[in-house]
């Protein structure tokens, strides 16, 4: 007999002698399977894991302030340069270089809220940012969509909506993300309107504006005001949106990105500033040097946001990782990436800024590599006390693809972590002394009243795992986790139910999209 078969047989023998009457006693309602209840607000109960000493954090900050004062940032926006200049920064108009003194930066940092709330249409799903709260967000920015049945192909609006529907049904995300996949079948100039409309129709949590372009930001703000039944001015007091935007590292911020940032800041919406600091490519090859550059670039933009509107919610974004020095390809989920995540969160705590990191990988497909790299990234993000964990569902190929199977695999990881973060129940009854006393030496607990009262809900029920014996798994088709993920995303998309949306709001959104499409196509964009 195979060892696995012997193990299964021993369990069968142990349960066989449990009297039927006892098995029926105190049985709770039978569970129908894994829970898809939306994750609650998650809080990290442990102290943050830190890799830097207090002295090392201070040296990073001192060096970052030197970079801002001595080298500065290239700010490719006349409007932004004027704002910096009025605050006392040194602005070289010929090179668009803005040099900021430490006094200017620290004065503006004091205005950034350490905690804030972004308001969702579903009031139970407001996004709390800061403190010990952990939030998960989806893949964003991928040009390709892929799954085992359709293969790898350019994203389109149907794929965009399907990702929103799938993640809404899975209930594992705290915000919907922004450009979850690029819908290249839609005209570039009006594409953002269709994406925002999809966000409003397909889910009911906080969503993100496209991180490039003032027009794109303005339309997001207008459409969010319609969704929430308020004026644009009201949104500043009750923010609903975020934009996740990058710095063109090293030390350059393009005009379209700055237009987006300025528009969002004027209206008091959340700005997540994320320098793209790949060590050895767009940042120094050393972790310490990359952290200096990342911090300097982010603080320069945070300063601008506060100069535009004091109190604008800002998040310090960390995306520092290494590259394959043989090919230049980005690498994620590496030891260097883990160190960068942990260190970035330490810097954020020192500055009293909320922090964004990511759960990412560089694998070409949904396999063990994609899972362990994402697992390392996710663990680092959670243990670091990052507040926004981006790309936590569906990211593949270093961000070149959004994968439906990967969304399912990641949903399993996220629900595992949600369970891990729960406090452990420790009542007198949990200690089970009477159950231990009542079970004979060498016996089993399958038939104990203590077990029968709890067995349906005692343990986490996985979405994807297969705990069959080898023989049963083989006879059922020997399907891998990736194979099972294909079946699961298809099933869940088939079961999708749209969240409540006032028909008048839906109509008003459609009218806005139609009107703005005509205006943009005729050249009269706002």
């Amino acid at each position: 007999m195979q060892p696995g078969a012997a193990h299964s047989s021993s369990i069968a023998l142990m349960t066989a002698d449990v009297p039927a009457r006892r098995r029926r006693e105190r049985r709770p309602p039978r569970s129908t399977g894994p829970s898809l209840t939306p994750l609650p607000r998650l809080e990290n109960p442990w102290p943050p894991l830190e890799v830097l000493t207090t002295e090392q954090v201070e040296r990073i900050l001192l060096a970052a302030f030197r970079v801002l004062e001595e080298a500065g940032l290239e700010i490719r926006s006349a409007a932004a340069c004027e704002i910096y200049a009025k605050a006392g920064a040194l602005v070289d108009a010929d090179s668009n270089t803005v040099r900021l003194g430490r006094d200017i930066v620290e004065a503006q940092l004091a205005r950034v809220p350490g905690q804030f709330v972004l308001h969702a249409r579903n009031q139970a799903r407001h996004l709390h940012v800061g403190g010990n709260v952990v939030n998960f967000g989806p893949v964003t920015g991928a040009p390709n969509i892929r799954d085992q049945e359709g293969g790898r192909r350019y994203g389109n609006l149907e794929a965009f909506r399907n990702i929103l529907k799938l993640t809404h049904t899975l209930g594992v995300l705290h915000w919907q993300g922004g450009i979850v996949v690029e819908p290249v079948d839609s005209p570039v100039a009006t594409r953002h309107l269709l994406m925002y409309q999809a966000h409003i129709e397909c889910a009911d949590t906080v969503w993100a504006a496209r991180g490039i372009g003032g027009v794109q930001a303005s339309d997001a703000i207008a459409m969010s005001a319609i969704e929430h039944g308020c004026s644009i001015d009201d949104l500043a007091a009750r923010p609903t949106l975020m934009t996740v935007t990058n710095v063109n590292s090293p030390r350059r911020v393009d005009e379209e990105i700055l237009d987006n940032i300025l528009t969002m800041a004027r209206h008091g919406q959340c700005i997540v500033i994320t320098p793209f600091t790949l060590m050895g490519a767009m940042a120094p090859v050393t972790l310490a040097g990359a952290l200096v550059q990342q911090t300097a670039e982010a603080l320069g933009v945070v300063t601008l946001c506060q100069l535009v509107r004091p109190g604008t919610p800002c998040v310090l974004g960390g995306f520092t990782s290494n590259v394959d020095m043989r090919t230049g390809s980005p690498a994620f989920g590496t030891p260097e990436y883990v160190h960068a995540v942990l260190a970035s969160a330490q810097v954020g705590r020192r500055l009293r800024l909320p922090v964004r990191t990511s759960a990412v990988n560089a694998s070409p497909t949904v396999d063990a590599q994609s899972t362990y790299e994402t697992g390392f990234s996710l663990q680092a993000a959670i243990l670091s006390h990052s507040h926004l964990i981006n790309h936590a569902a569906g990211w593949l190929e270093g961000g070149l693809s959004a994968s439906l199977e990967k969304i399912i695999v990641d949903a399993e990881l996220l629900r595992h972590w949600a369970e891990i973060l729960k406090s452990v129940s420790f009542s007198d009854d949990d200690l089970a002394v009477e159950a231990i006393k009542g079970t004979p030496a060498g016996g089993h607990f399958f038939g104990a009243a203590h077990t029968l009262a709890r067995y349906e809900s005692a343990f986490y029920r996985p979405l994807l795992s297969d705990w069959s014996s080898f023989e049963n798994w083989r006879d059922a088709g020997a399907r891998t986790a990736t194979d099972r993920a294909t079946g699961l995303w298809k099933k869940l998309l088939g079961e999708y139910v749209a969240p409540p949306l006032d028909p008048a709001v839906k109509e008003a959104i459609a009218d806005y999209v139609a009107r703005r499409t005509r205006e943009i196509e005729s050249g009269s964009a706002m």
Side-chain angles (χ1 to χ4, degrees), residues 161-423:
R161 296 178 76 97
N162 279 343
I163 290 175
L164 297 178
K165 292 175 181 179
L166 181 57
T167 54
H168 175 76
T169 304
L170 284 165
V172 294
L173 300 181
H174 297 96
W175 84 96
Q176 294 164 215
I179 316 308
V180 292
V181 71
E182 193 70 41
V184 299
D185 59 334
S186 303
V188 172
T190 57
R191 184 180 296 172
H192 63 284
L193 298 169
L194 299 174
M195 293 188 290
Y196 300 161
Q197 183 180 31
H199 275 299
I200 293 167
E201 291 180 354
C202 296
D204 58 3
T205 52
V206 169
W207 49 278
R210 184 186 276 283
I212 299 176
V215 169
Q216 288 80 354
S218 295
D219 281 324
I221 291 165
M223 292 177 72
S224 184
I226 295 171
E227 178 189 13
H228 288 265
C230 66
S231 71
I232 288 176
D233 290 339
D234 290 338
L235 290 183
R238 192 176 180 275
T240 59
L241 288 170
M242 72 168 75
T243 186
V244 180
T245 192
N246 296 115
V247 174
N248 310 95
S249 304
R251 297 186 302 108
R252 172 183 289 167
V253 193
D254 280 342
E255 184 173 15
E256 286 193 339
I257 291 175
L258 288 161
D259 287 347
N260 185 273
I261 290 168
L262 292 174
T263 302
M264 294 290 281
R266 289 188 190 107
H267 292 88
Q269 302 305 296
C270 174
I271 301 162
V272 183
I273 304 103
T274 309
F276 194 44
T277 42
L278 292 179
M279 292 183 280
M282 287 87 82
V285 74
T286 57
L287 175 62
L291 290 170
V292 168
Q293 182 181 313
Q294 173 184 278
T295 304
E297 292 174 351
L299 292 186
V301 178
V302 171
T303 298
L304 175 64
C305 296
Q306 300 309 309
L307 290 171
V308 171
R309 189 184 186 107
T312 295
C314 291
V315 177
L316 177 69
F319 204 66
T320 295
S321 192
N322 57 301
V323 298
D324 183 341
M325 296 304 290
R326 298 168 297 179
T327 65
S329 297
F332 298 105
T334 60
E336 294 81 9
Y337 182 80
V338 168
H339 283 157
V341 167
L342 296 170
S344 296
Q346 274 189 263
V347 172
R349 277 191 297 279
R350 164 61 177 79
L351 296 169
R352 297 183 177 84
L353 292 175
V355 173
R356 166 260 163 124
T357 56
S358 301
V360 283
N361 69 89
S363 177
T365 191
V366 183
D367 60 1
Q369 178 187 336
S370 69
T371 306
Y372 67 68
E373 288 179 350
T374 298
F376 283 129
S377 301
L378 180 60
Q379 182 178 32
I382 290 172
L383 296 183
S384 74
H385 281 226
S386 295
H387 303 104
L388 299 177
I389 304 177
N390 212 13
H391 307 309
W395 168 285
L396 199 62
E397 295 181 63
L400 293 178
S401 286
S403 162
L404 298 182
E405 283 85 14
K406 188 63 165 51
I407 289 174
I408 299 296
V409 174
D410 289 338
E412 187 75 276
L413 290 174
L414 299 180
R415 285 202 175 269
H416 269 76
W417 269 107
E419 289 294 314
I420 293 167
L421 290 169
K422 289 181 179 178
S423 60

Side-chain angles (χ1 to χ4, degrees), residues 69-223:
E69 189 165 3
E70 298 173 18
L73 304 180
E74 183 184 343
I75 300 296
R76 294 188 163 190
S77 161
C81 285
E82 183 178 353
I83 293 168
Y84 281 120
K86 286 182 178 179
L90 299 178
V91 178
D92 184 329
D94 293 331
S95 64
N96 295 315
T97 299
V98 173
R99 294 177 173 86
L100 290 162
R102 179 171 181 168
D103 56 334
I104 298 173
V105 177
E106 290 189 325
Q108 300 310 313
L109 284 176
R111 295 173 160 181
V112 183
Q115 300 184 48
F116 57 88
V117 178
L118 298 182
H119 298 82
R121 185 171 83 245
N122 180 348
Q123 295 186 14
R125 305 294 289 161
H126 291 336
L127 185 70
H128 293 253
V129 182
N132 292 321
V133 178
V134 180
N135 296 295
F136 301 137
V139 56
T140 58
N144 299 298
I145 182 71
R146 60 187 291 181
D147 59 74
Q148 289 209 124
E149 296 197 340
R152 185 180 190 268
R153 58 215 185 267
Y154 280 127
N156 55 30
L157 189 58
E158 180 185 13
F160 188 98
R161 296 178 76 97
N162 279 343
I163 290 175
L164 297 178
K165 292 175 181 179
L166 181 57
T167 54
H168 175 76
T169 304
L170 284 165
V172 294
L173 300 181
H174 297 96
W175 84 96
Q176 294 164 215
I179 316 308
V180 292
V181 71
E182 193 70 41
V184 299
D185 59 334
S186 303
V188 172
T190 57
R191 184 180 296 172
H192 63 284
L193 298 169
L194 299 174
M195 293 188 290
Y196 300 161
Q197 183 180 31
H199 275 299
I200 293 167
E201 291 180 354
C202 296
D204 58 3
T205 52
V206 169
W207 49 278
R210 184 186 276 283
I212 299 176
V215 169
Q216 288 80 354
S218 295
D219 281 324
I221 291 165
M223 292 177 72

Side-chain angles (χ1 to χ4, degrees), residues 409-466:
V409 174
D410 289 338
E412 187 75 276
L413 290 174
L414 299 180
R415 285 202 175 269
H416 269 76
W417 269 107
E419 289 294 314
I420 293 167
L421 290 169
K422 289 181 179 178
S423 60
V424 177
S425 179
F426 230 79
S427 67
D428 288 345
D429 201 32
D430 291 320
L431 293 172
V433 172
E434 294 305 317
I436 295 169
K437 288 165 56 179
T439 301
H444 60 78
F445 287 80
F446 284 106
H450 189 269
T451 302
L452 295 174
R454 295 166 176 78
Y455 79 98
E456 289 281 6
S457 58
F459 308 122
Y460 169 71
R461 297 285 299 273
L463 296 167
L464 188 60
S465 300
D466 185 343

